[in-house]
Amino acid sequence: AWETPEYRKSVLNSTNGLYVCASGIDIMHSLQSNIIRNRPLGRDDYQIIYIQQGCCYYLDRDNRTKKAESNSIILFKPHEPQIYQYKMNDETTAYWTHFNGSMAEQTLKAFDFDFRCHTLKSAPKKYISASTNIIDELRQKRPGYRDICSAELYRLFAYLHSYISMEASGFENKYSPAIEIVINEMNKTYSCNYPISYYSNMCDLE
C-alpha cells in the first residue's frame, strides 16, 4: 500500500515530522519467483523490514551479503544501498515500511536504532499489529489515516525498542500468555459485571 505520488513529493523536503510513505507484506509462498531489490543508490526515504518467517539475503554496511533469519529487523537509511532478496524456496514472510520526515533520524537516535540488522529471540506481536494497522490505513485511506499511520509508526518503534531492551536486560514476563490475555480482557471489561468463570474459561481454568 502506497501513499499518493503527489503527497510523497510534497513532503519529501518538508518539515513534516514523521510520516509513512508505503507499507506492505511480501509472502513468498504466494509468488512464483524470487523477490530481488537492487537499489545501489538507495532511496530518498528510510525502510524498515521485519522477517516474520524464512530469511532475507541483504547487503550489510561492510558490503558483504549476509543472511537475516526469522524475527530479524533490517533497517535502511536514505541513500544507503538497498540490495536484498527473498528466495521462493525459503517461504519468507516479510513486513516492510518506507518512512521519512524531519523527525525520522532523531526518532531513530532516541530509540538507539543504529543497526542494519537485529535479530529478536521471539516474535514481536505488537510490532506486527502496528505494521498491519499501517497497511490497512494506507489501503483504506479513511479520513485522518495519515495521522494514524504516523502514530502507528511511532508505536512500532516503541514496541521494537521495548522488545530489544527486554531481551538485552534478561527481563522475563511473569505471566503466561494465557494469563496475559485474561489480564488484558479484565482491563477492557472492568466496568462489566462478568463472573469469574467468564475469565477462567479464557485460560482453561476450572
Side-chain angles (χ1 to χ4, degrees):
W2 292 81
E3 257 295 359
T4 63
E6 294 79 14
Y7 179 75
R8 296 202 305 273
K9 183 178 181 180
S10 69
V11 299
L12 182 60
N13 297 312
S14 74
T15 58
N16 189 301
L18 188 66
Y19 64 91
V20 175
C21 306
S23 190
I25 179 172
D26 293 322
I27 303 176
M28 289 305 299
H29 63 257
S30 67
L31 303 174
Q32 300 300 316
S33 62
N34 297 347
I35 290 180
I36 300 174
R37 297 285 183 263
N38 186 14
R39 303 167 181 146
L41 299 180
R43 286 171 48 103
D44 291 329
D45 56 18
Y46 298 76
Q47 182 178 199
I48 189 166
I49 303 171
Y50 166 61
I51 310 300
Q52 184 180 31
Q53 68 177 42
C55 58
C56 174
Y57 301 87
Y58 67 97
L59 186 69
D60 205 352
R61 288 172 180 156
D62 59 7
N63 288 322
R64 295 181 180 179
T65 299
K66 297 183 179 179
K67 181 180 179 180
E69 305 282 358
S70 60
N71 291 325
S72 290
I73 304 289
I74 302 172
L75 178 64
F76 294 104
K77 295 185 177 182
H79 308 297
E80 288 185 341
Q82 292 187 11
I83 300 174
Y84 62 93
Q85 68 170 311
Y86 311 126
K87 297 181 180 180
M88 184 176 60
N89 292 338
D90 293 329
E91 297 187 349
T92 300
T93 298
Y95 290 83
W96 52 269
T97 300
H98 289 275
F99 63 95
N100 213 335
S102 60
M103 296 295 292
E105 186 64 25
Q106 182 177 336
T107 302
L108 294 180
K109 288 182 179 179
F111 287 121
D112 199 25
F113 292 166
D114 193 38
F115 53 82
R116 168 53 56 85
C117 181
H118 181 90
T119 301
L120 298 166
K121 296 178 182 178
S122 59
K125 295 181 180 179
K126 292 181 179 179
Y127 178 106
I128 296 171
S129 172
S131 294
T132 302
N133 290 343
I134 291 172
I135 295 169
D136 178 65
E137 290 295 333
L138 278 179
R139 285 175 176 167
Q140 300 293 333
K141 290 184 172 54
R142 294 177 284 254
Y145 76 93
R146 286 170 178 156
D147 291 332
I148 295 173
C149 285
S150 295
E152 289 290 344
L153 179 61
Y154 191 89
R155 177 172 168 255
L156 181 152
F157 292 152
Y159 281 132
L160 178 57
H161 181 259
S162 177
Y163 286 119
I164 292 174
S165 299
M166 285 192 291
E167 291 185 353
S169 66
F171 176 87
E172 294 184 8
N173 192 343
K174 61 183 178 179
Y175 302 115
S176 70
I179 295 297
E180 191 169 4
I181 291 173
V182 172
I183 291 173
N184 289 335
E185 183 65 16
M186 292 177 71
N187 288 333
K188 293 177 183 177
T189 61
Y190 68 91
S191 61
C192 302
N193 189 25
Y194 290 148
I196 295 298
S197 59
Y198 171 81
Y199 300 104
S200 63
N201 289 337
M202 295 180 66
C203 54
D204 297 323
L205 294 177
E206 295 183 356

